[in-house]
Amino acid sequence: MKYMMINGKKEKVPPFPHHKAYIYRSKQFFFAKGITTHLTMGEFIHLKEVYRGVKNKCSIPRVLLIDPTSDCNLKCKGCWSQDYESGHNISYEKLDDILSQAEELGIMDCLMTGGEPLLRKDDILKLCEKHNKMTFGLFTNGTLIDESFAAEMARLGNLNVFLSIEGTREETDFRRGTGVYDKVIKAMDTLHENGIAFAFSACYHADNYKTIASDEFLDHMREKGAWFGWLFQYIPVGSNADTSLVCTTEQRAYVQQKILDYTNKNEYVVIDFWNNGHLSFGCIGAGVGFAHINAKGDVEPCAFCHYSDSNIYDVSLVDALRSKFFTEFRNAQPFSTNPLRACPLIDNPQSLIDVVNSSGAKSTHLANPETAEELAMKSFELAEEWEPVSEELFKQMPEYVQKNFPRYLRYYSFKKGITDGRRKGI
């Protein structure tokens, strides 16, 4: 039996695929002090990924993200879900088929986004029970979690939930609707009382970034029982996205520094998605670390990059991972040798334009599609401003971090080289 210190208490961690084991592995990954730790964690999971990649002639992701539905019971300001055409659902049978394909490839972690995945809670519980060697995680607004669902989670053991919250009651209800904050806090209490480990998930933007990065908010999340947290910077995806919520360079740097200080001081895992490149090998989209399937079946590099050249209804999962778009996307990685400038969407927008156009990928943003050029136009200025700031921030990081990241890149270059063979297309 493994143990973790969580919020000042020693907690038992059942073996994989228990949901607490997923959190344990996440902590191993994001607190690794060197490449050796990465290579040996989780029963040599990295080396197994290399073997499976060579066998299948492409990079095999560790995590598969799926949108079981495009529908949502909320209408959050600035969220692309409300831009989606409603009524798109991947059937239980197709989800079952996708997960079976994933298991054959050795993918044992499935995260579900949306839309609101718990609109499909009955199907999800059935999938967790059938695919009981996989760990599942749901990014959910938390409003549909009740005692009966928590009891099922406790019985199954292999289901995580990541509860969306925007900071204070006022900040959460501003984006998500009146009364949503109280429902999320109630869901946290219900999960905690049932002995279920969970994470909080927060989108920080120009209006709430100080709250999300504050000791008070993070302490509160830990007090409510959150074992770790996800932070997502607001990205203006979609032709009618609200650009006023985009963080400035100074605001992004503020969050990066505050979160880094908090996690080091408290040994608490907070995955700051756009500022953790130094811990996660930079961009790991398009199959290098994860891949995303939206509710229409389009296979995308990640949940934020709404471009694709393959659909899971037309091709197998492994063929989607071998697609021209994914192959060229991987060939273009790393998009920067600075781990704080890893993302092609907001840090290297010209790279996104080049990869999308050279591969013939199309926008999958449903009701409000936009070309790569249109998306990039919202990022060019900020990307230019962020470059010198991020260089300084990286220089201020501990020496072992500065030494490790180039090693990570060499390892991933080796991994991609022997799986994809640095192909320029298929």
Side-chain angles (χ1 to χ4, degrees):
M1 181 70 72
K2 296 182 175 69
Y3 294 88
M4 286 177 64
M5 289 300 296
I6 296 292
N7 305 331
K9 182 181 177 183
K10 191 176 183 180
E11 298 277 2
K12 293 181 179 179
V13 180
F16 179 86
H18 195 275
H19 71 280
K20 291 179 180 177
Y22 174 86
I23 299 169
Y24 179 83
R25 291 194 302 162
S26 295
K27 188 166 186 176
Q28 278 189 305
F29 184 91
F30 286 101
F31 277 79
K33 296 297 184 181
I35 190 69
T36 301
T37 307
H38 277 290
L39 293 176
T40 57
M41 70 176 59
E43 297 181 351
F44 300 95
I45 188 170
H46 269 295
L47 301 181
K48 291 176 182 177
E49 288 169 351
V50 172
Y51 169 76
R52 290 163 184 152
V54 171
K55 180 180 177 182
N56 291 282
K57 298 182 175 61
C58 68
S59 290
I60 303 297
R62 181 169 304 180
V63 180
L64 184 64
L65 294 85
I66 305 176
D67 296 349
T69 181
S70 63
D71 293 338
C72 187
N73 59 326
L74 300 181
K75 294 291 183 182
C76 303
K77 295 179 181 178
C79 176
W80 65 63
S81 177
Q82 63 182 306
D83 296 345
Y84 277 11
E85 299 167 345
S86 62
H88 292 292
N89 294 279
I90 302 178
S91 70
Y92 170 83
E93 291 75 19
K94 188 60 181 177
L95 289 169
D96 181 30
D97 173 58
I98 294 169
L99 294 175
S100 295
Q101 292 184 56
E103 287 178 301
E104 289 180 8
L105 294 174
I107 302 170
M108 304 308 295
D109 292 308
C110 175
L111 304 185
M112 293 190 177
T113 54
E116 169 50 53
L118 282 182
L119 290 174
R120 301 284 305 282
K121 65 166 65 173
D122 291 341
D123 284 340
I124 289 171
L125 292 174
K126 285 169 59 180
L127 290 166
C128 290
E129 184 146 34
K130 181 172 181 181
H131 298 272
N132 57 14
K133 294 183 179 179
M134 297 185 76
T135 298
F136 292 82
L138 310 178
F139 287 94
T140 171
N141 59 44
T143 62
L144 301 177
I145 292 175
D146 53 22
E147 285 286 350
S148 63
F149 184 75
E152 281 296 283
M153 286 184 65
R155 180 182 70 83
L156 291 166
N158 63 336
L159 176 59
N160 287 284
V161 287
F162 314 135
L163 303 177
S164 297
I165 192 166
E166 306 292 325
T168 64
R169 176 181 285 104
E170 292 72 23
E171 289 165 333
T172 299
D173 289 358
F174 163 74
R175 279 200 71 203
R176 298 183 172 272
T178 303
V180 171
Y181 177 86
D182 290 335
K183 292 179 180 178
V184 176
I185 295 299
K186 183 179 179 180
M188 290 183 179
D189 291 339
T190 298
L191 294 168
H192 194 36
E193 290 164 5
N194 281 272
I196 298 167
F198 62 90
F200 74 88
S201 174
C203 175
Y204 64 91
H205 49 79
D207 292 340
N208 74 341
Y209 73 98
K210 283 191 174 181
T211 299
I212 296 302
S214 69
D215 286 6
E216 293 78 11
F217 172 73
L218 296 170
D219 287 346
H220 183 52
M221 291 295 96
R222 293 169 67 197
E223 289 166 5
K224 300 309 292 183
W227 278 34
F228 76 115
W230 293 88
L231 296 189
F232 298 98
Q233 186 179 170
Y234 175 76
I235 305 297
V237 174
S239 59
N240 63 349
D242 184 356
T243 56
S244 70
L245 293 176
V246 176
C247 285
T248 65
T249 292
E250 292 76 15
Q251 291 166 348
R252 179 177 176 181
Y254 177 90
V255 173
Q256 192 275 337
Q257 288 291 88
K258 290 282 287 184
I259 294 301
L260 183 63
D261 290 345
Y262 189 91
T263 55
N264 288 339
K265 180 175 64 176
N266 296 282
E267 290 192 15
Y268 185 63
V269 179
V270 179
I271 304 167
D272 184 1
F273 203 69
W274 275 270
N275 288 330
N276 272 159
H278 60 296
L279 302 175
S280 62
F281 306 98
C283 172
I284 52 176
V288 170
F290 52 74
H292 178 246
I293 302 173
N294 70 20
K296 288 185 71 176
D298 299 310
V299 186
E300 304 165 334
C302 77
F304 300 89
C305 187
H306 295 179
Y307 300 92
S308 178
D309 67 348
S310 58
N311 189 285
I312 200 66
Y313 290 99
D314 302 322
V315 300
S316 66
L317 177 57
V318 71
D319 281 339
L321 295 171
R322 296 171 182 150
S323 75
K324 185 175 182 180
F325 179 42
F326 268 41
T327 300
E328 295 199 9
F329 197 103
R330 290 192 295 266
N331 284 342
Q333 294 166 319
F335 295 102
S336 170
T337 55
N338 180 343
L340 299 178
R341 296 181 55 245
C343 179
L345 275 73
I346 61 171
D347 299 325
N348 303 279
Q350 186 60 51
S351 296
L352 179 68
I353 293 173
D354 294 342
V355 171
V356 169
N357 289 344
S358 65
S359 64
K362 304 297 182 184
S363 173
T364 57
H365 199 71
L366 308 179
N368 291 285
E370 60 184 346
T371 64
E373 288 84 356
E374 290 168 335
L375 175 60
M377 286 302 296
K378 293 178 280 188
S379 300
F380 272 119
E381 185 175 346
L382 279 174
E384 186 174 349
E385 292 176 5
W386 177 245
E387 183 172 1
V389 174
S390 63
E391 292 291 340
E392 273 306 307
L393 290 173
F394 186 47
K395 290 177 184 177
Q396 295 170 22
M397 288 185 176
E399 185 178 357
Y400 79 87
V401 173
Q402 297 182 48
K403 288 183 177 179
N404 281 341
F405 189 68
R407 295 168 183 162
Y408 295 164
L409 293 186
R410 287 195 293 272
Y411 165 70
Y412 258 63
S413 178
F414 161 77
K415 180 180 175 182
K416 290 184 294 180
I418 64 173
T419 55
D420 284 320
R422 309 304 295 168
R423 292 175 295 170
K424 299 300 181 182
I426 59 173

